[in-house]
Amino acid sequence: MTEPTAPLLELRNVHAAYGRIEVLHGIDLVVPRGQVVALLGPNGAGKTTTLLVATGQHPASQGCVHVGGRHVNGVKPDELARLGLCTIPEGRGVFRSLTVRENLVMASYRGLPADQIIESAVARFPRLGERIGQVAGTLSGGEQQMLAMARGLATDPGLLIIDELSMGLAPLIVAELYEIVAGIATEGVSILVVEQFARTVLGVADPAVIMQHGHVVAAGPPADLEAELSAAYLGAST
């Protein structure tokens, strides 16, 4: 059982390595309940490995991972999903050969009626209702991202981890999607957004965490992190 007042996700002094090469050097990260936390940094900062450790896909060589107050080092991804953790991977992870409706019905394995899942998805993402019989692989990138989010939310997660939501999408679509993300957080879902392009998410983030070379170099309200962002990205497009 998770503790009702504990953060949905907490990493304490987490180290991780690939073979003899350590890539995370003592990461501390907290995702409070009902907040959007942005995990930022350029390529090679360690964001992906942090996500893999948090979701049980890569072991921590040192430190602790907690989900809802429960120590979960070594816990498999499917068990973490049962604890309420849902990941929307980079590339969206939809079944491209199935229709929108069939993709949503696939989420009913957790026991919710398929009709309820579809009704909820269409209410949150009206565009999916317009595309309900369309093959997912023919949707636009933004629509596929909406479908992936709708499928994830059908599992009623406490914690939603979104990896590179903006990847390959036009700025206007990204802004629309992040407005939806902010709305989801107001419903009580905790959200960790992993982004390379920092400016796309700062408008909806509560705290932001900046990584560089496997370290957390800054954390706090987005408005307070301008100097750290410039230093971390060294003038790269953000």
Side-chain angles (χ1 to χ4, degrees):
M1 295 292 290
T2 61
E3 298 176 12
T5 59
L8 260 292
L9 177 67
E10 185 173 9
L11 275 61
R12 301 177 185 171
N13 190 35
V14 165
H15 296 245
Y18 295 98
R20 296 184 176 181
I21 301 173
E22 184 171 270
V23 294
L24 297 183
H25 314 290
I27 298 299
D28 293 313
L29 174 68
V30 176
V31 182
R33 292 175 183 267
Q35 291 193 12
V36 178
V37 177
L39 181 60
L40 309 173
N43 277 337
K47 303 185 305 298
T48 296
T49 302
T50 300
L51 184 153
L52 293 175
V53 171
T55 56
Q57 299 176 73
H58 189 83
S61 54
Q62 183 179 329
C64 298
V65 181
H66 294 260
V67 171
R70 174 179 169 179
H71 182 79
V72 295
N73 289 52
V75 174
K76 295 180 179 179
D78 58 342
E79 186 174 346
L80 290 177
R82 288 192 289 272
L83 291 175
L85 188 154
C86 175
T87 303
I88 298 175
E90 179 184 339
R92 298 164 198 129
V94 300
F95 296 99
R96 294 176 56 86
S97 63
L98 301 181
T99 66
V100 170
R101 181 188 300 278
E102 289 166 339
N103 266 273
L104 294 171
V105 168
M106 290 287 287
S108 65
Y109 73 94
R110 289 291 298 272
L112 282 177
D115 289 347
Q116 182 179 331
I117 291 172
I118 293 170
E119 180 180 350
S120 176
V122 170
R124 181 176 274 117
F125 304 99
R127 206 171 308 170
L128 295 181
E130 300 169 7
R131 308 283 193 269
I132 198 71
Q134 188 169 328
V135 174
T138 65
L139 299 175
S140 69
E143 290 164 348
Q144 289 186 36
Q145 191 65 269
M146 291 177 189
L147 178 56
M149 291 170 67
R151 289 180 63 241
L153 290 167
T155 65
D156 193 26
L159 173 64
L160 190 63
I161 297 179
I162 305 174
D163 188 15
E164 301 286 2
L165 180 149
S166 66
M167 186 66 68
L169 301 180
L172 283 176
I173 299 299
V174 173
E176 178 183 354
L177 289 170
Y178 272 123
E179 286 183 10
I180 295 169
V181 166
I184 293 167
T186 65
E187 300 171 11
V189 179
S190 299
I191 301 174
L192 176 63
V193 179
V194 181
E195 271 286 2
Q196 178 182 352
F197 300 105
R199 305 295 177 189
T200 63
V201 67
L202 288 180
V204 302
D206 295 298
V209 177
I210 303 173
M211 291 188 65
Q212 194 172 16
H213 305 306
H215 297 271
V216 170
V217 296
D224 297 345
L225 298 179
E226 287 296 326
E228 288 84 354
L229 279 170
S230 298
Y233 285 87
L234 299 176
S237 173
T238 59

